[in-house]
Amino acid sequence: MKIDGGGQCCRNLRVQSTRWFVLAALVVWIMFAPAMRADPTPAERVADIQKALQAAKLDGWLFYDFRGSDPLAPRILKLGEHASGSRRWFYYIPATGEPTKIVHSIERGKLDALPGKRVTYRGWEEQHALVAAAIQGPDANRLQKNAKKRVAMQYSPNNDIPYISRVDAGTVELIRSFGVEVITSAELVQQFEAVVTPEQHQSHVEGSDKLHRVLMDAFAEIGRNIREEKPITEYDIQQFIARRLDEEGMTREDGIVAVKANAANPHYFPTKESFSPIKRGDFVLLDIVSKLRKPGAICTDQTWTGFVGDTVPEEYVRIFNIVREARDAATEFVRKNVREGKRIHGAEVDDVSRGVIKRAGYGEQFTHRTGHSIGEECHGNGVNIDNFETRDSRYITPGVLFSIEPGIYLEGKFGVRSEIDVYVGDKDIEVTGQPIQTEIVPILKGN
């Protein structure tokens, strides 16, 4: 009896252990399966592109590359790092039907990873004929009836959005000579390059919270050294931030740490050879970008300002308040329109922010766009908040991320910038990296 009872006990333990193992495995899968989700295959990407073309009422999307002239193409098509060659290639995706790969005879395998029919050319005349035939498709008579096909390319009218303008003017002229209306692919590129997945959004939120902590630690590190009367420099704090990012599981970046007049240069970076000391009474600007160290993670980009003292002088407060008002006005403009379901362009948001600073009398001292797209790189391929450096007519689309970072730069004195990141949801926006800055940090206050 004792032996039988012991056997039953062992069997019960084995069943319980198995159940716990299955449960634990399920929990692990739920936690990590989204992060491990594979990128779409080229065939899946092409199918998604065709759906987008149909929704946009476009006849097709023509990709073209010559020696890496279009870095967007291999990313969108999931071609990998070796998509470019020594000869020109075209890839035409019609809204419906089979795509066509047009490649040179000596590089005929260049687009083999993509679905569709492969045709090869040797000379330029063959190339032109094959491209025209691919666009026209089986219904070649359509063009003869003056019904131009509308085909997207990496082209921007008047070069308004240079990030999209990857196809040279001569190639655009060639495609137009086939009786085709060339349409900018700007919105399509944004859809496939800048709209983040829920997992990527979460990586941005987590990274933003960590970056916020690191920035606060940097101000504390400045204060600690000043109170202990230890020499501290811009470069020291830059490297302190880089180490803290590494400790937080984020990419190690050498960001902007600028004091006094250096802060009036929006892209000033201290180096090991060139830096300024940080002293009592100094105005300090920190602008750092980083992301979690894992595949597909989305960047976070934040700018904060502080003053090495226990109270902040009025000249700094006054300029900061103008910048903060411009930042918040732009944010509220986006929030209001997203909540109301209205479509707005990136350029319109820039106008709102810039208008606040112009009315305060500092328009000439706001020397850059209001914000930029954020993706797996700090500067992504989606809509920028810009009607100054460029005229960005792309729409603020659900799923995109961008910065809002107005600034006023008083050359030879100091510069103030306040940067937040905005995620656009279906019906509202989210400002990440909370809490955002509402006043200049008095670094020595309370000590």
Side-chain angles (χ1 to χ4, degrees), residues 184-195:
T184 179
S185 62
E187 296 293 351
L188 290 168
V189 169
Q190 173 162 255
Q191 179 177 344
F192 290 101
E193 268 287 289
V195 173

Side-chain angles (χ1 to χ4, degrees), residues 21-326:
F21 176 81
V22 171
L23 180 59
L26 179 61
V27 170
V28 170
W29 184 87
I30 290 172
M31 290 175 63
F32 293 102
M36 299 189 314
R37 187 176 69 183
D39 281 341
T41 65
E44 291 169 337
R45 174 49 58 90
V46 167
D48 290 339
I49 286 174
Q50 289 188 311
K51 292 176 185 176
L53 291 170
Q54 293 164 24
K57 294 181 170 54
L58 294 173
D59 292 293
W61 192 350
L62 181 62
F63 291 86
Y64 161 76
D65 185 78
F66 178 54
R67 295 185 175 181
S69 59
D70 182 7
L72 296 172
R75 293 171 59 114
I76 294 168
L77 297 172
K78 301 300 178 183
L79 276 173
E81 298 178 359
H82 305 292
S84 296
S86 63
R87 302 298 192 273
R88 290 170 287 180
W89 61 252
F90 294 82
Y91 185 61
Y92 182 64
I93 305 176
T96 58
E98 185 181 27
T100 302
K101 300 176 277 190
I102 304 157
V103 293
H104 195 276
S105 61
I106 70 170
E107 292 182 341
R108 60 185 62 207
K110 186 54 69 174
L111 301 181
D112 278 357
L114 298 174
K117 175 181 65 176
R118 182 178 70 187
V119 294
T120 61
Y121 71 91
R122 294 164 298 177
W124 65 267
E125 292 175 309
E126 283 183 310
Q127 181 206 80
H128 290 188
L130 290 171
V131 173
I135 296 173
Q136 291 169 10
D139 187 13
N141 291 329
R142 179 181 175 185
L143 290 179
Q144 298 172 5
K145 298 175 183 177
N146 297 319
K148 284 187 175 183
K149 285 202 172 184
R150 302 175 70 245
V151 173
M153 294 186 76
Q154 269 74 287
Y155 149 80
S156 177
N158 300 315
N159 198 26
D160 278 350
I161 310 174
Y163 318 97
I164 297 298
S165 212
R166 303 293 184 173
V167 180
D168 63 277
T171 300
V172 171
E173 290 171 355
L174 171 67
I175 303 306
R176 285 174 174 162
S177 75
F178 302 148
V180 172
E181 182 182 359
V182 177
I183 306 296
T184 179
S185 62
E187 296 293 351
L188 290 168
V189 169
Q190 173 162 255
Q191 179 177 344
F192 290 101
E193 268 287 289
V195 173
V196 303
T197 66
E199 297 79 30
Q200 288 180 313
H201 167 234
Q202 185 55 41
S203 77
H204 168 78
V205 172
E206 182 181 346
S208 296
D209 290 342
K210 289 186 173 187
L211 177 57
H212 176 81
R213 289 198 296 271
V214 171
L215 289 169
M216 298 307 103
D217 289 348
F219 285 130
E221 179 70 3
I222 293 171
R224 183 183 67 81
N225 281 273
I226 294 297
R227 286 191 296 273
E228 295 177 3
E229 298 185 350
K230 293 181 179 179
I232 189 76
T233 71
E234 296 168 327
Y235 181 73
D236 293 333
I237 294 301
Q238 181 197 65
Q239 296 308 299
F240 170 85
I241 291 172
R243 290 192 298 272
R244 283 289 295 113
L245 290 171
D246 188 55
E247 292 168 359
E248 292 283 353
M250 301 183 70
T251 56
R252 186 183 178 108
E253 305 288 345
D254 290 339
I256 297 173
V257 179
V259 301
K260 299 186 296 186
N262 291 339
N265 177 356
H267 275 186
Y268 167 85
F269 290 85
T271 67
K272 188 175 182 179
E273 296 75 28
S274 178
F275 55 81
S276 292
I278 302 175
K279 300 178 180 179
R280 286 181 183 269
D282 282 352
F283 179 86
V284 182
L285 181 148
L286 307 178
D287 182 348
I288 308 297
V289 60
S290 186
K291 64 179 180 178
L292 298 180
R293 284 198 307 268
K294 67 179 184 180
I298 300 300
C299 290
T300 175
D301 194 0
Q302 299 174 33
T303 303
W304 277 65
T305 51
F307 177 76
V308 187
D310 53 7
T311 59
V312 182
E314 176 59 26
E315 64 172 332
Y316 300 126
V317 172
R318 183 172 61 85
I319 297 300
F320 176 85
N321 287 345
I322 297 169
V323 170
R324 182 188 62 193
E325 182 185 351

Side-chain angles (χ1 to χ4, degrees), residues 320-341:
F320 176 85
N321 287 345
I322 297 169
V323 170
R324 182 188 62 193
E325 182 185 351
R327 179 198 71 191
D328 293 348
T331 305
E332 289 306 311
F333 178 74
V334 177
R335 178 180 284 116
K336 176 178 182 294
N337 282 280
V338 169
R339 286 178 175 176
E340 294 176 358

